[in-house]
Amino acid sequence: MDHIHHHPIDSAKLDALLARAFQDLSAGYGGVMISLGNRLGLYKAMAGAGPLTTREIATRADCAERYVREWLNSQVAGGYVAYHPISDTYELTPEQAMVLADEDSPAFFPNAWAVPASMWADEEKAVEAFRTGRGIPWGDHDGRLACGVAAFYRNGYKASLVQEWLPSLDGVVDKLKTGALVGDVGCGHGHSTVLMAKAFPASTFHGFDSHENSLDEAESIAAEAGVTGQTSFERARADNYPGEGYDLICFFDALHDMGDPAAAATRAAKALAPDGTVMLVEPFANDRVEDNISPVARMYYAASTTICVAHAISDGGRLVLGAQAGEARLAEVFRKAGFTRFRRAFETPFNLVLEARL
């Protein structure tokens, strides 16, 4: 073992790294607690109710008090619930409720924990994929993955897509108001398609995806929202979906998962109306590895390793972008497909909104 110790160890650096590792480990445990609190309705039971005793919370959530007390203390320790020592009561503050109890809030977070849960469940598949170089299709993952991703993105889209992202594109909103033909490629559960359809009743929206179960889900989401007449969902690949003359073609966090993004861009170029626009929403990333050192980048690179790269390889793997492709590599894909204009229209800490035109 002594060959490891050629370099003197900086104990301050070691301590800092251990503290970091421990913080991460603690967060992993905490995620299980958040998921339980969400599934059992514990946060909802506390929302807007002010300080409550453990018994009151247990009664409201119809759970066993002894478990609830232990769970509450884990929440206090993590800063997710406030504790009042004098009255021995627990309180969910308005900010905590936005993040943990209100499912319609853009800040609602608990469902996102379904993704790491699915990643752990699929660990054997990931080990096998690393060893063989083979892919893992989206549909082969633990069922929590699709739910977690859809839930995580849905609220962000709901807060931003119609209000900020579409208006950042040149002239697109005017077309949508008067009546445009829109393709949503890789639509998944169709949250994005349905949001646009509700906002622009004069326009028609076609969602395409290769995952059958997601399309069934999309149809029921469209029905629930009352936009069945404006929307259709069809199983198709990103390089051969039907239709021509689209005013807007959207790729919502989907292009980097595709085995041949260049073919998808080429199909978009053919399917667009003469003055049409491609809207490309991708995970936020800078172009260089050394500029992607952040909690957001770590999360995306990790999910990309076992999910995005794995799916793209399973889908032919001609060009495996990964979830941290960055603007320069994405622009290159569209330039090669014949697009002459490409720009960053909008950005958030989680997303790049890019516009491509012929």
Side-chain angles (χ1 to χ4, degrees):
M1 285 298 285
D2 30 272
H3 62 272
I4 294 172
H5 292 302
H6 286 177
H7 300 291
I9 295 292
D10 180 328
S11 61
K13 282 183 182 165
L14 179 63
D15 289 347
L17 186 57
L18 277 172
R20 172 72 184 268
F22 202 85
Q23 204 176 348
D24 285 346
L25 182 65
S26 171
Y29 283 48
V32 179
M33 296 295 105
I34 291 174
S35 186
L36 284 172
N38 182 43
R39 290 181 61 178
L40 293 165
L42 288 160
Y43 296 119
K44 280 200 173 60
M46 298 177 72
L52 298 166
T53 65
T54 56
R55 178 159 300 158
E56 286 170 324
I57 295 164
T59 304
R60 282 166 162 249
D62 197 20
C63 288
E65 190 265 346
R66 185 62 188 86
Y67 282 109
V68 170
R69 190 188 334 159
E70 213 68 10
W71 175 84
L72 282 164
N73 290 338
S74 80
Q75 299 307 287
V76 173
Y80 284 119
V81 164
Y83 178 61
H84 306 292
I86 291 168
S87 54
D88 189 25
T89 55
Y90 297 80
E91 183 178 2
L92 200 66
T93 67
E95 296 76 19
Q96 289 164 343
M98 264 192 87
V99 173
L100 299 165
D102 175 7
E103 287 184 31
D104 294 323
S105 140
F108 184 70
F109 226 77
N111 291 333
W113 278 99
V115 177
S118 77
M119 289 166 75
W120 279 115
D122 290 334
E123 190 185 12
E124 288 309 314
K125 287 180 183 166
V127 169
E128 179 72 5
F130 267 73
R131 296 243 189 267
T132 60
R134 285 199 291 269
I136 307 168
W138 175 255
D140 278 8
H141 285 286
D142 182 273
R144 285 171 291 193
L145 177 64
C147 300
V149 168
F152 185 61
Y153 282 120
R154 183 191 71 191
N155 288 8
Y157 284 169
K158 202 158 71 183
S160 310
L161 173 54
V162 172
Q163 298 86 324
E164 298 175 326
W165 299 352
L166 288 167
S168 73
L169 307 172
D170 284 335
V172 168
V173 167
D174 290 340
K175 286 186 189 173
L176 289 167
K177 281 179 180 159
T178 54
L181 179 61
V182 181
D184 189 352
V185 184
C187 64
H189 285 194
H191 290 300
S192 48
T193 328
V194 168
L195 280 171
M196 293 189 291
K198 278 176 82 166
F200 301 104
S203 292
T204 310
F205 299 84
H206 298 300
F208 303 109
D209 205 282
S210 58
H211 190 230
E212 197 68 62
N213 298 4
S214 292
L215 293 166
D216 296 341
E217 183 70 18
E219 278 174 5
S220 63
I221 287 169
E224 214 173 292
V227 293
T228 304
Q230 281 171 268
T231 57
S232 72
F233 295 96
E234 196 177 330
R235 187 169 184 171
R237 290 182 50 81
D239 54 7
N240 69 356
Y241 49 88
E244 301 289 328
Y246 289 98
D247 298 294
L248 176 66
I249 294 175
C250 306
F251 296 92
F252 291 108
D253 280 297
L255 188 84
H256 66 265
D257 290 318
M258 295 171 185
D260 195 348
T266 302
R267 171 69 192 127
K270 285 204 177 70
L272 274 182
D275 189 32
T277 300
V278 167
M279 176 186 196
L280 178 63
V281 177
E282 281 281 302
F284 182 88
N286 292 305
D287 292 321
R288 301 200 305 252
V289 172
E290 63 270 29
D291 296 329
N292 288 327
I293 298 173
S294 72
V296 173
R298 173 167 68 160
M299 185 182 82
Y300 281 145
Y301 275 126
S304 183
T305 303
T306 61
I307 300 162
C308 310
V309 163
H311 181 79
I313 289 172
S314 79
D315 189 35
R318 290 179 67 100
L319 172 61
V320 182
L321 288 168
Q324 293 288 271
E327 187 178 354
R329 273 189 291 178
L330 296 164
E332 184 61 17
V333 168
F334 278 84
R335 250 181 234 114
K336 283 185 173 155
F339 288 81
T340 60
R341 289 170 288 172
F342 191 92
R343 70 181 181 95
R344 184 183 306 199
F346 200 82
E347 68 181 78
T348 75
F350 293 100
N351 288 104
L352 291 171
V353 178
L354 305 159
E355 177 186 79
R357 307 188 69 181
L358 291 166

